[in-house]
Amino acid sequence: METDNNSSNSKTSASSLRWGILRRAVLNLAKNPEDESQLAMNIISRKATKGFNLIPCQLLHHDHESRDARLCYTLPIQGSPKLVLTQRVDNSASLSDFEVCNRFNIDNTGLVCQWPSEDVLAYFCLSHGNMFRSKRVIELGSGYGLAGLAIAAATEALEVVISDGNPQVVDYIQHNINTNSGAFGETSVKSMKLHWHQKEISNLSHTFDVIVASDCTFFKEFHKDLARITQLLLKNVGPSEAIFFSPRRGNSLDKFLEEIEDNGLLFSITESYDAEIWKCHQRFMNGDDSWPGYEKDHCYPLLIRITR
């Protein structure tokens, strides 16, 4: 469902695609609700079933009635606490989810799955914890908040704000913050509903030392707002940077970086930035059965560092 300016569907927005699926679901729900529900999930979910598995995860509990599951993440840093996150179960989406997406002009990727780049972001941040010590940090488009929670638990950051534009996702983030409150030490941890097209964020403007994000350059229609909010959040005085992880996905990443330059920011792209992640990548490229269909362009997240 990734949009492509060079394709015949270049004028189709993410919101119009969601409305089309919602319409089909409503029209056909009475005919065969089970089949239509599965169709909607197959089309919308974009579930990334495989990943780098850099942070071990164990299922603790699956609540079939609420569609939620509790998972325990073991951070690969000696002495670090374990993190317990409540997440939606695989392929769990509903019509109400799509209605929220259209009401707030957002997508539901953070609600229905955790993407491989989030795992890579969390692992990279844990491996470079010194860059966060005593810093103000914000995660954009965080989903369930694994990377932000890992930073808060293991890097001695001054403050971590974990944000998403989907209010349903923010509820999960706050729940996960509350669940793990004893793991953060002196670090202040907050959730926040932040839509990238927001104009009024005066209390946050130019206040963050570090911005982190993973797989946020998926939809080209959001590039301009994402670049603008990145420029707006980075501190004006003193060093500050944004750390993004994203696959190229055709020309999607390049188009986003054009917007970054248009906002007066600088960037660098690094392909091999961690020995363990690169080893996983090479293994998948050589046909490892644990990730069938692995493609570098769509699956391997590049490290993008953005500065003033």
mmCIF file of all heavy atoms in Angstrom, residues 196-232:
data_model
loop_
_atom_site.group_PDB
_atom_site.id
_atom_site.type_symbol
_atom_site.label_atom_id
_atom_site.label_comp_id
_atom_site.label_asym_id
_atom_site.label_seq_id
_atom_site.Cartn_x
_atom_site.Cartn_y
_atom_site.Cartn_z
ATOM 1 N N TRP A 196 2.000 15.222 13.164
ATOM 2 C CA TRP A 196 3.101 15.952 12.537
ATOM 3 C C TRP A 196 2.666 17.236 11.855
ATOM 4 O O TRP A 196 3.497 18.115 11.616
ATOM 5 C CB TRP A 196 3.825 15.044 11.541
ATOM 6 C CG TRP A 196 4.394 13.815 12.177
ATOM 7 C CD1 TRP A 196 4.746 13.656 13.487
ATOM 8 C CD2 TRP A 196 4.674 12.563 11.540
ATOM 9 N NE1 TRP A 196 5.214 12.388 13.709
ATOM 10 C CE2 TRP A 196 5.183 11.688 12.533
ATOM 11 C CE3 TRP A 196 4.538 12.097 10.235
ATOM 12 C CZ2 TRP A 196 5.558 10.387 12.258
ATOM 13 C CZ3 TRP A 196 4.912 10.791 9.954
ATOM 14 C CH2 TRP A 196 5.424 9.949 10.953
ATOM 15 N N HIS A 197 1.392 17.390 11.553
ATOM 16 C CA HIS A 197 0.958 18.630 10.913
ATOM 17 C C HIS A 197 0.528 19.687 11.939
ATOM 18 O O HIS A 197 0.081 20.768 11.546
ATOM 19 C CB HIS A 197 -0.152 18.369 9.888
ATOM 20 C CG HIS A 197 -1.485 18.003 10.470
ATOM 21 N ND1 HIS A 197 -2.447 17.328 9.755
ATOM 22 C CD2 HIS A 197 -2.029 18.198 11.693
ATOM 23 C CE1 HIS A 197 -3.518 17.149 10.516
ATOM 24 N NE2 HIS A 197 -3.284 17.668 11.683
ATOM 25 N N GLN A 198 0.660 19.395 13.232
ATOM 26 C CA GLN A 198 0.304 20.375 14.252
ATOM 27 C C GLN A 198 1.122 21.643 14.090
ATOM 28 O O GLN A 198 2.335 21.599 13.907
ATOM 29 C CB GLN A 198 0.532 19.807 15.659
ATOM 30 C CG GLN A 198 -0.522 18.823 16.110
ATOM 31 C CD GLN A 198 -0.285 18.313 17.520
ATOM 32 O OE1 GLN A 198 -0.440 17.138 17.779
ATOM 33 N NE2 GLN A 198 0.086 19.193 18.433
ATOM 34 N N LYS A 199 0.452 22.782 14.178
ATOM 35 C CA LYS A 199 1.138 24.070 14.048
ATOM 36 C C LYS A 199 1.545 24.634 15.402
ATOM 37 O O LYS A 199 2.539 25.344 15.521
ATOM 38 C CB LYS A 199 0.225 25.079 13.330
ATOM 39 C CG LYS A 199 -0.264 24.621 11.962
ATOM 40 C CD LYS A 199 0.892 24.362 11.005
ATOM 41 C CE LYS A 199 0.371 23.942 9.629
ATOM 42 N NZ LYS A 199 1.477 23.600 8.701
ATOM 43 N N GLU A 200 0.749 24.319 16.430
ATOM 44 C CA GLU A 200 0.978 24.892 17.752
ATOM 45 C C GLU A 200 1.601 23.869 18.691
ATOM 46 O O GLU A 200 0.913 23.012 19.239
ATOM 47 C CB GLU A 200 -0.339 25.415 18.334
ATOM 48 C CG GLU A 200 -0.961 26.565 17.560
ATOM 49 C CD GLU A 200 -0.080 27.798 17.549
ATOM 50 O OE1 GLU A 200 0.648 28.017 18.544
ATOM 51 O OE2 GLU A 200 -0.104 28.529 16.546
ATOM 52 N N ILE A 201 2.884 23.918 18.832
ATOM 53 C CA ILE A 201 3.582 23.099 19.840
ATOM 54 C C ILE A 201 4.629 23.972 20.526
ATOM 55 O O ILE A 201 5.777 23.586 20.712
ATOM 56 C CB ILE A 201 4.248 21.846 19.225
ATOM 57 C CG1 ILE A 201 5.189 22.235 18.076
ATOM 58 C CG2 ILE A 201 3.224 20.854 18.751
ATOM 59 C CD1 ILE A 201 6.065 21.085 17.621
ATOM 60 N N SER A 202 4.194 25.189 20.878
ATOM 61 C CA SER A 202 5.126 26.198 21.382
ATOM 62 C C SER A 202 5.896 25.721 22.600
ATOM 63 O O SER A 202 7.055 26.089 22.803
ATOM 64 C CB SER A 202 4.372 27.492 21.707
ATOM 65 O OG SER A 202 3.320 27.240 22.624
ATOM 66 N N ASN A 203 5.266 24.874 23.432
ATOM 67 C CA ASN A 203 5.954 24.403 24.630
ATOM 68 C C ASN A 203 7.029 23.372 24.313
ATOM 69 O O ASN A 203 7.868 23.056 25.159
ATOM 70 C CB ASN A 203 4.948 23.798 25.614
ATOM 71 C CG ASN A 203 4.178 22.640 25.009
ATOM 72 O OD1 ASN A 203 3.819 22.664 23.840
ATOM 73 N ND2 ASN A 203 3.909 21.619 25.815
ATOM 74 N N LEU A 204 7.032 22.846 23.085
ATOM 75 C CA LEU A 204 8.023 21.846 22.691
ATOM 76 C C LEU A 204 9.012 22.352 21.649
ATOM 77 O O LEU A 204 10.026 21.706 21.393
ATOM 78 C CB LEU A 204 7.318 20.600 22.129
ATOM 79 C CG LEU A 204 6.414 19.808 23.071
ATOM 80 C CD1 LEU A 204 5.789 18.640 22.325
ATOM 81 C CD2 LEU A 204 7.182 19.308 24.279
ATOM 82 N N SER A 205 8.735 23.486 21.052
ATOM 83 C CA SER A 205 9.555 23.970 19.951
ATOM 84 C C SER A 205 11.009 24.154 20.374
ATOM 85 O O SER A 205 11.296 24.813 21.372
ATOM 86 C CB SER A 205 9.010 25.300 19.421
ATOM 87 O OG SER A 205 7.724 25.115 18.868
ATOM 88 N N HIS A 206 11.908 23.528 19.608
ATOM 89 C CA HIS A 206 13.360 23.682 19.786
ATOM 90 C C HIS A 206 13.816 23.340 21.204
ATOM 91 O O HIS A 206 14.640 24.049 21.792
ATOM 92 C CB HIS A 206 13.783 25.111 19.422
ATOM 93 C CG HIS A 206 13.321 25.538 18.059
ATOM 94 N ND1 HIS A 206 13.624 24.834 16.911
ATOM 95 C CD2 HIS A 206 12.547 26.590 17.654
ATOM 96 C CE1 HIS A 206 13.081 25.434 15.861
ATOM 97 N NE2 HIS A 206 12.418 26.491 16.282
ATOM 98 N N THR A 207 13.267 22.243 21.749
ATOM 99 C CA THR A 207 13.622 21.870 23.128
ATOM 100 C C THR A 207 14.296 20.503 23.240
ATOM 101 O O THR A 207 14.732 20.140 24.333
ATOM 102 C CB THR A 207 12.364 21.850 24.020
ATOM 103 O OG1 THR A 207 11.425 20.909 23.488
ATOM 104 C CG2 THR A 207 11.715 23.225 24.084
ATOM 105 N N PHE A 208 14.412 19.733 22.149
ATOM 106 C CA PHE A 208 14.914 18.369 22.262
ATOM 107 C C PHE A 208 16.343 18.227 21.739
ATOM 108 O O PHE A 208 16.698 18.752 20.686
ATOM 109 C CB PHE A 208 13.992 17.392 21.529
ATOM 110 C CG PHE A 208 12.671 17.211 22.224
ATOM 111 C CD1 PHE A 208 11.548 17.908 21.806
ATOM 112 C CD2 PHE A 208 12.574 16.362 23.326
ATOM 113 C CE1 PHE A 208 10.337 17.756 22.457
ATOM 114 C CE2 PHE A 208 11.362 16.211 23.985
ATOM 115 C CZ PHE A 208 10.246 16.899 23.551
ATOM 116 N N ASP A 209 17.122 17.484 22.517
ATOM 117 C CA ASP A 209 18.497 17.184 22.114
ATOM 118 C C ASP A 209 18.536 16.084 21.058
ATOM 119 O O ASP A 209 19.372 16.111 20.146
ATOM 120 C CB ASP A 209 19.317 16.724 23.332
ATOM 121 C CG ASP A 209 19.365 17.750 24.428
ATOM 122 O OD1 ASP A 209 20.066 18.764 24.247
ATOM 123 O OD2 ASP A 209 18.702 17.547 25.462
ATOM 124 N N VAL A 210 17.635 15.110 21.202
ATOM 125 C CA VAL A 210 17.626 13.959 20.297
ATOM 126 C C VAL A 210 16.194 13.602 19.927
ATOM 127 O O VAL A 210 15.326 13.521 20.794
ATOM 128 C CB VAL A 210 18.313 12.720 20.938
ATOM 129 C CG1 VAL A 210 18.408 11.590 19.913
ATOM 130 C CG2 VAL A 210 19.696 13.065 21.476
ATOM 131 N N ILE A 211 15.967 13.394 18.632
ATOM 132 C CA ILE A 211 14.721 12.838 18.126
ATOM 133 C C ILE A 211 15.028 11.449 17.586
ATOM 134 O O ILE A 211 16.045 11.256 16.913
ATOM 135 C CB ILE A 211 14.137 13.705 16.988
ATOM 136 C CG1 ILE A 211 13.834 15.114 17.479
ATOM 137 C CG2 ILE A 211 12.882 13.065 16.407
ATOM 138 C CD1 ILE A 211 13.466 16.074 16.355
ATOM 139 N N VAL A 212 14.186 10.475 17.882
ATOM 140 C CA VAL A 212 14.360 9.141 17.305
ATOM 141 C C VAL A 212 13.059 8.730 16.623
ATOM 142 O O VAL A 212 11.961 9.127 17.045
ATOM 143 C CB VAL A 212 14.769 8.083 18.361
ATOM 144 C CG1 VAL A 212 16.112 8.433 18.977
ATOM 145 C CG2 VAL A 212 13.709 7.924 19.431
ATOM 146 N N ALA A 213 13.186 7.945 15.559
ATOM 147 C CA ALA A 213 12.013 7.468 14.835
ATOM 148 C C ALA A 213 12.400 6.279 13.983
ATOM 149 O O ALA A 213 13.552 6.161 13.552
ATOM 150 C CB ALA A 213 11.417 8.572 13.958
ATOM 151 N N SER A 214 11.445 5.396 13.747
ATOM 152 C CA SER A 214 11.697 4.235 12.893
ATOM 153 C C SER A 214 10.519 4.036 11.951
ATOM 154 O O SER A 214 9.367 4.140 12.354
ATOM 155 C CB SER A 214 11.912 2.968 13.738
ATOM 156 O OG SER A 214 10.771 2.677 14.519
ATOM 157 N N ASP A 215 10.844 3.772 10.688
ATOM 158 C CA ASP A 215 9.831 3.471 9.668
ATOM 159 C C ASP A 215 8.744 4.534 9.583
ATOM 160 O O ASP A 215 7.562 4.213 9.439
ATOM 161 C CB ASP A 215 9.196 2.105 9.926
ATOM 162 C CG ASP A 215 9.536 1.120 8.813
ATOM 163 O OD1 ASP A 215 9.497 1.530 7.638
ATOM 164 O OD2 ASP A 215 9.848 -0.033 9.121
ATOM 165 N N CYS A 216 9.147 5.793 9.679
ATOM 166 C CA CYS A 216 8.183 6.891 9.614
ATOM 167 C C CYS A 216 8.137 7.561 8.245
ATOM 168 O O CYS A 216 7.402 8.535 8.065
ATOM 169 C CB CYS A 216 8.505 7.937 10.680
ATOM 170 S SG CYS A 216 8.029 7.432 12.348
ATOM 171 N N THR A 217 8.910 7.064 7.287
ATOM 172 C CA THR A 217 8.931 7.690 5.961
ATOM 173 C C THR A 217 8.137 6.870 4.950
ATOM 174 O O THR A 217 8.329 6.982 3.743
ATOM 175 C CB THR A 217 10.376 7.865 5.462
ATOM 176 O OG1 THR A 217 10.992 6.574 5.275
ATOM 177 C CG2 THR A 217 11.191 8.660 6.465
ATOM 178 N N PHE A 218 7.235 6.028 5.454
ATOM 179 C CA PHE A 218 6.495 5.087 4.610
ATOM 180 C C PHE A 218 5.603 5.814 3.600
ATOM 181 O O PHE A 218 5.652 5.555 2.405
ATOM 182 C CB PHE A 218 5.659 4.176 5.508
ATOM 183 C CG PHE A 218 5.077 2.988 4.812
ATOM 184 C CD1 PHE A 218 5.779 1.795 4.732
ATOM 185 C CD2 PHE A 218 3.823 3.051 4.232
ATOM 186 C CE1 PHE A 218 5.241 0.688 4.092
ATOM 187 C CE2 PHE A 218 3.275 1.952 3.587
ATOM 188 C CZ PHE A 218 3.986 0.764 3.518
ATOM 189 N N PHE A 219 4.751 6.730 4.094
ATOM 190 C CA PHE A 219 3.818 7.441 3.229
ATOM 191 C C PHE A 219 4.409 8.776 2.789
ATOM 192 O O PHE A 219 4.738 9.626 3.611
ATOM 193 C CB PHE A 219 2.492 7.701 3.949
ATOM 194 C CG PHE A 219 1.626 6.494 4.099
ATOM 195 C CD1 PHE A 219 1.305 6.013 5.357
ATOM 196 C CD2 PHE A 219 1.138 5.837 2.986
ATOM 197 C CE1 PHE A 219 0.496 4.894 5.501
ATOM 198 C CE2 PHE A 219 0.330 4.719 3.106
ATOM 199 C CZ PHE A 219 0.012 4.242 4.379
ATOM 200 N N LYS A 220 4.494 8.979 1.483
ATOM 201 C CA LYS A 220 5.052 10.227 0.966
ATOM 202 C C LYS A 220 4.187 11.429 1.308
ATOM 203 O O LYS A 220 4.695 12.552 1.418
ATOM 204 C CB LYS A 220 5.240 10.117 -0.549
ATOM 205 C CG LYS A 220 6.308 9.114 -0.952
ATOM 206 C CD LYS A 220 6.405 8.977 -2.456
ATOM 207 C CE LYS A 220 7.415 7.903 -2.834
ATOM 208 N NZ LYS A 220 7.481 7.676 -4.292
ATOM 209 N N GLU A 221 2.897 11.223 1.485
ATOM 210 C CA GLU A 221 2.014 12.349 1.795
ATOM 211 C C GLU A 221 2.320 12.957 3.164
ATOM 212 O O GLU A 221 1.909 14.080 3.455
ATOM 213 C CB GLU A 221 0.551 11.921 1.738
ATOM 214 C CG GLU A 221 0.163 10.900 2.792
ATOM 215 C CD GLU A 221 -1.320 10.557 2.732
ATOM 216 O OE1 GLU A 221 -2.134 11.399 3.128
ATOM 217 O OE2 GLU A 221 -1.643 9.446 2.279
ATOM 218 N N PHE A 222 3.050 12.244 4.022
ATOM 219 C CA PHE A 222 3.396 12.760 5.346
ATOM 220 C C PHE A 222 4.815 13.331 5.408
ATOM 221 O O PHE A 222 5.237 13.829 6.458
ATOM 222 C CB PHE A 222 3.260 11.654 6.401
ATOM 223 C CG PHE A 222 1.870 11.099 6.525
ATOM 224 C CD1 PHE A 222 1.664 9.747 6.759
ATOM 225 C CD2 PHE A 222 0.764 11.919 6.434
ATOM 226 C CE1 PHE A 222 0.384 9.225 6.874
ATOM 227 C CE2 PHE A 222 -0.523 11.416 6.545
ATOM 228 C CZ PHE A 222 -0.718 10.065 6.766
ATOM 229 N N HIS A 223 5.579 13.252 4.321
ATOM 230 C CA HIS A 223 6.989 13.672 4.339
ATOM 231 C C HIS A 223 7.158 15.138 4.722
ATOM 232 O O HIS A 223 8.018 15.469 5.544
ATOM 233 C CB HIS A 223 7.626 13.438 2.966
ATOM 234 C CG HIS A 223 7.924 12.001 2.679
ATOM 235 N ND1 HIS A 223 8.411 11.581 1.464
ATOM 236 C CD2 HIS A 223 7.835 10.890 3.449
ATOM 237 C CE1 HIS A 223 8.597 10.273 1.493
ATOM 238 N NE2 HIS A 223 8.250 9.830 2.687
ATOM 239 N N LYS A 224 6.381 15.994 4.119
ATOM 240 C CA LYS A 224 6.547 17.433 4.360
ATOM 241 C C LYS A 224 6.312 17.764 5.832
ATOM 242 O O LYS A 224 7.102 18.515 6.443
ATOM 243 C CB LYS A 224 5.586 18.217 3.465
ATOM 244 C CG LYS A 224 5.814 19.721 3.466
ATOM 245 C CD LYS A 224 4.890 20.425 2.499
ATOM 246 C CE LYS A 224 5.198 20.053 1.060
ATOM 247 N NZ LYS A 224 6.515 20.601 0.624
ATOM 248 N N ASP A 225 5.261 17.210 6.417
ATOM 249 C CA ASP A 225 4.963 17.477 7.826
ATOM 250 C C ASP A 225 6.021 16.877 8.742
ATOM 251 O O ASP A 225 6.398 17.490 9.751
ATOM 252 C CB ASP A 225 3.579 16.914 8.188
ATOM 253 C CG ASP A 225 2.445 17.719 7.581
ATOM 254 O OD1 ASP A 225 2.641 18.918 7.311
ATOM 255 O OD2 ASP A 225 1.359 17.152 7.374
ATOM 256 N N LEU A 226 6.498 15.674 8.420
ATOM 257 C CA LEU A 226 7.507 15.038 9.261
ATOM 258 C C LEU A 226 8.807 15.837 9.249
ATOM 259 O O LEU A 226 9.446 16.016 10.300
ATOM 260 C CB LEU A 226 7.752 13.609 8.784
ATOM 261 C CG LEU A 226 8.824 12.807 9.533
ATOM 262 C CD1 LEU A 226 8.537 12.744 11.029
ATOM 263 C CD2 LEU A 226 8.952 11.396 8.944
ATOM 264 N N ALA A 227 9.217 16.311 8.083
ATOM 265 C CA ALA A 227 10.433 17.121 8.000
ATOM 266 C C ALA A 227 10.272 18.430 8.773
ATOM 267 O O ALA A 227 11.181 18.872 9.484
ATOM 268 C CB ALA A 227 10.779 17.398 6.545
ATOM 269 N N ARG A 228 9.088 19.042 8.654
ATOM 270 C CA ARG A 228 8.848 20.308 9.350
ATOM 271 C C ARG A 228 8.868 20.130 10.859
ATOM 272 O O ARG A 228 9.477 20.923 11.587
ATOM 273 C CB ARG A 228 7.501 20.883 8.911
ATOM 274 C CG ARG A 228 7.176 22.257 9.506
ATOM 275 C CD ARG A 228 5.706 22.598 9.317
ATOM 276 N NE ARG A 228 4.847 21.656 10.008
ATOM 277 C CZ ARG A 228 4.531 21.756 11.313
ATOM 278 N NH1 ARG A 228 5.033 22.751 12.049
ATOM 279 N NH2 ARG A 228 3.731 20.878 11.870
ATOM 280 N N ILE A 229 8.211 19.052 11.354
ATOM 281 C CA ILE A 229 8.164 18.851 12.801
ATOM 282 C C ILE A 229 9.540 18.488 13.345
ATOM 283 O O ILE A 229 9.892 18.848 14.474
ATOM 284 C CB ILE A 229 7.115 17.762 13.166
ATOM 285 C CG1 ILE A 229 6.637 17.938 14.616
ATOM 286 C CG2 ILE A 229 7.653 16.355 12.975
ATOM 287 C CD1 ILE A 229 5.667 19.038 14.816
ATOM 288 N N THR A 230 10.351 17.808 12.539
ATOM 289 C CA THR A 230 11.727 17.497 12.950
ATOM 290 C C THR A 230 12.514 18.784 13.141
ATOM 291 O O THR A 230 13.207 18.964 14.151
ATOM 292 C CB THR A 230 12.408 16.606 11.904
ATOM 293 O OG1 THR A 230 11.684 15.366 11.783
ATOM 294 C CG2 THR A 230 13.847 16.299 12.288
ATOM 295 N N GLN A 231 12.417 19.680 12.168
ATOM 296 C CA GLN A 231 13.115 20.962 12.270
ATOM 297 C C GLN A 231 12.630 21.760 13.471
ATOM 298 O O GLN A 231 13.406 22.417 14.164
ATOM 299 C CB GLN A 231 12.896 21.753 10.972
ATOM 300 C CG GLN A 231 13.770 22.992 10.825
ATOM 301 C CD GLN A 231 13.203 24.213 11.520
ATOM 302 O OE1 GLN A 231 11.998 24.293 11.795
ATOM 303 N NE2 GLN A 231 14.054 25.174 11.829
ATOM 304 N N LEU A 232 11.331 21.677 13.751
ATOM 305 C CA LEU A 232 10.730 22.464 14.828
ATOM 306 C C LEU A 232 11.105 21.943 16.212
ATOM 307 O O LEU A 232 11.222 22.713 17.168
ATOM 308 C CB LEU A 232 9.210 22.461 14.670
ATOM 309 C CG LEU A 232 8.398 23.443 15.513
ATOM 310 C CD1 LEU A 232 8.814 24.871 15.211
ATOM 311 C CD2 LEU A 232 6.912 23.253 15.251
#
